[in-house]
Amino acid sequence: MFKQVRRDLLGLLLICFLGSSFLFFTAPIAQSKDASMSGTMDFPSVPKMEKPVLLLGPAGEHFSFATCQKGDLVFTWADSTIPPGMGPMPHIHHYTNEWFYAAEGGIELFSSAVDFDNVENPPDAAKGTRTTAYLIPMQAKVPVYGPKFHVHGFNNQDKVERPLTFIWKPDPISPPFPYKDGGIREYFDAVAQKIPDMDHIPAISDVNRGLFGSEAPKYGINQSFYFLQYLNHVETEIPETLKHSSNAELKEILDAVREYNAGSKEVTCR
Ligand code: ZN
């Protein structure tokens, strides 16, 4: 029921804007061996660990997590499979910056242009602080950068499962969580159901769905409970201020994962 309402609501929002032409937001790609002229990149697969950490997301996403370190560089990487029509409710990260990579496309992101920099004070209808989301259709293999403080989320627009890779890198303002990754692993470990193996995926429990929202602020995250809790408008024309990228940092992370997967001992993942 809940899922159906959510899907219908998003569908309605999308239908409202079907007449508009979609602007494709592609993160400007620095010239490197990863980049082609079209802005696409080939991401490596999730760091190969002996025991992969498999977790279930609040919208039925299947996540395979790894938190890796190379010197001072720490990041959490998750490969995921997003069921058709699904995605998380709008949320805000206060301690991490994030990259998204849809190997096959089919995913539409949305992000606010307004920053909400106080975890105690997320957008609120009663305060008149709900904001606009801008739709960002993802092109296959073109990464999109999402910095801290923006309301954001995504949806699988297709009728089939689609892969989506996430990378979270702690912002310098993050407190020192045990994994040093800005609290993402700690958050998922605390609230998500474990997947014993991909042939036995549990149903999402209401308890865990609730925990994703209630526990989030401890990890510097505001997680809304319904789609329009933080948002009151959707636009397709993306403002210049949202066209940010951070490809030098991203390249460093991709290189570290490739080194790890090739057997380097300089990079550790857990
Ligand atoms: Zn996020």
Side-chain angles (χ1 to χ4, degrees), residues 55-161:
L55 297 172
L56 190 65
E61 313 97 314
H62 315 144
F63 287 106
S64 181
F65 271 97
T67 302
C68 302
Q69 180 158 15
K70 181 188 177 187
D72 292 337
L73 174 69
V74 182
F75 57 90
T76 287
W77 180 290
D79 276 0
S80 75
T81 309
I82 312 299
M86 298 303 286
M89 288 292 104
H91 60 278
I92 304 166
H93 299 287
H94 292 266
Y95 302 150
T96 55
N97 303 300
E98 188 171 13
W99 289 267
F100 305 89
Y101 177 79
E104 301 171 1
I107 304 287
E108 185 166 58
L109 295 173
F110 54 86
S111 174
S112 72
V114 176
D115 280 1
F116 291 89
D117 62 2
N118 182 352
V119 74
E120 308 288 337
N121 195 20
D124 186 329
K127 295 177 185 168
T129 54
R130 288 191 299 175
T131 191
T132 297
Y134 297 89
L135 299 179
I136 305 167
M138 293 192 75
Q139 293 174 284
K141 296 190 172 190
V142 178
V144 176
Y145 178 59
K148 65 181 188 288
F149 299 153
H150 289 74
V151 181
H152 66 281
F154 62 84
N155 208 263
N156 176 356
Q157 299 174 294
D158 280 341
K159 291 194 166 50
V160 293
E161 287 189 335

Side-chain angles (χ1 to χ4, degrees), residues 1-268:
M1 177 65 183
F2 181 61
K3 275 186 286 182
Q4 189 59 43
V5 169
R6 200 164 44 181
R7 201 177 300 173
D8 289 348
L9 187 53
L10 193 64
L12 186 66
L13 286 166
L14 293 175
I15 287 163
C16 290
F17 292 95
L18 271 182
S20 313
S21 60
F22 285 89
L23 278 189
F24 282 80
F25 170 50
T26 58
I29 301 294
Q31 287 299 312
S32 74
K33 67 184 169 65
D34 294 309
S36 71
M37 292 310 284
S38 67
T40 60
M41 285 189 183
D42 282 314
F43 269 35
S45 56
V46 67
K48 293 177 193 126
M49 299 198 296
E50 261 180 46
K51 283 191 186 159
V53 181
L54 304 176
L55 297 172
L56 190 65
E61 313 97 314
H62 315 144
F63 287 106
S64 181
F65 271 97
T67 302
C68 302
Q69 180 158 15
K70 181 188 177 187
D72 292 337
L73 174 69
V74 182
F75 57 90
T76 287
W77 180 290
D79 276 0
S80 75
T81 309
I82 312 299
M86 298 303 286
M89 288 292 104
H91 60 278
I92 304 166
H93 299 287
H94 292 266
Y95 302 150
T96 55
N97 303 300
E98 188 171 13
W99 289 267
F100 305 89
Y101 177 79
E104 301 171 1
I107 304 287
E108 185 166 58
L109 295 173
F110 54 86
S111 174
S112 72
V114 176
D115 280 1
F116 291 89
D117 62 2
N118 182 352
V119 74
E120 308 288 337
N121 195 20
D124 186 329
K127 295 177 185 168
T129 54
R130 288 191 299 175
T131 191
T132 297
Y134 297 89
L135 299 179
I136 305 167
M138 293 192 75
Q139 293 174 284
K141 296 190 172 190
V142 178
V144 176
Y145 178 59
K148 65 181 188 288
F149 299 153
H150 289 74
V151 181
H152 66 281
F154 62 84
N155 208 263
N156 176 356
Q157 299 174 294
D158 280 341
K159 291 194 166 50
V160 293
E161 287 189 335
R162 289 293 182 197
L164 186 62
T165 297
F166 304 81
I167 302 167
W168 295 273
K169 187 180 175 192
D171 193 84
I173 66 169
S174 171
F177 287 95
Y179 279 90
K180 302 182 205 164
D181 73 334
I184 291 292
R185 272 296 291 283
E186 292 81 356
Y187 172 59
F188 275 89
D189 282 352
V191 305
Q193 290 154 263
K194 309 258 181 306
I195 299 175
D197 66 72
M198 291 312 260
D199 294 327
H200 299 90
I201 296 168
I204 311 158
S205 85
D206 286 341
V207 171
N208 289 88
R209 207 197 302 275
L211 287 173
F212 269 102
S214 63
E215 296 300 291
K218 292 181 191 169
Y219 305 94
I221 298 167
N222 295 120
Q223 176 65 61
S224 62
F225 185 64
Y226 61 94
F227 192 81
L228 295 177
Q229 188 177 352
Y230 294 167
L231 301 173
N232 59 2
H233 202 73
V234 177
E235 287 279 354
T236 55
E237 194 161 335
I238 300 157
E240 284 303 313
T241 52
L242 268 187
K243 296 179 183 175
H244 27 53
S245 70
S246 194
N247 285 313
E249 282 181 285
L250 176 58
K251 184 181 178 309
E252 215 185 346
I253 291 168
L254 298 180
D255 286 348
V257 173
R258 290 192 187 104
E259 286 166 35
Y260 176 81
N261 284 343
S264 167
K265 296 284 176 257
E266 269 185 70
V267 189
T268 55

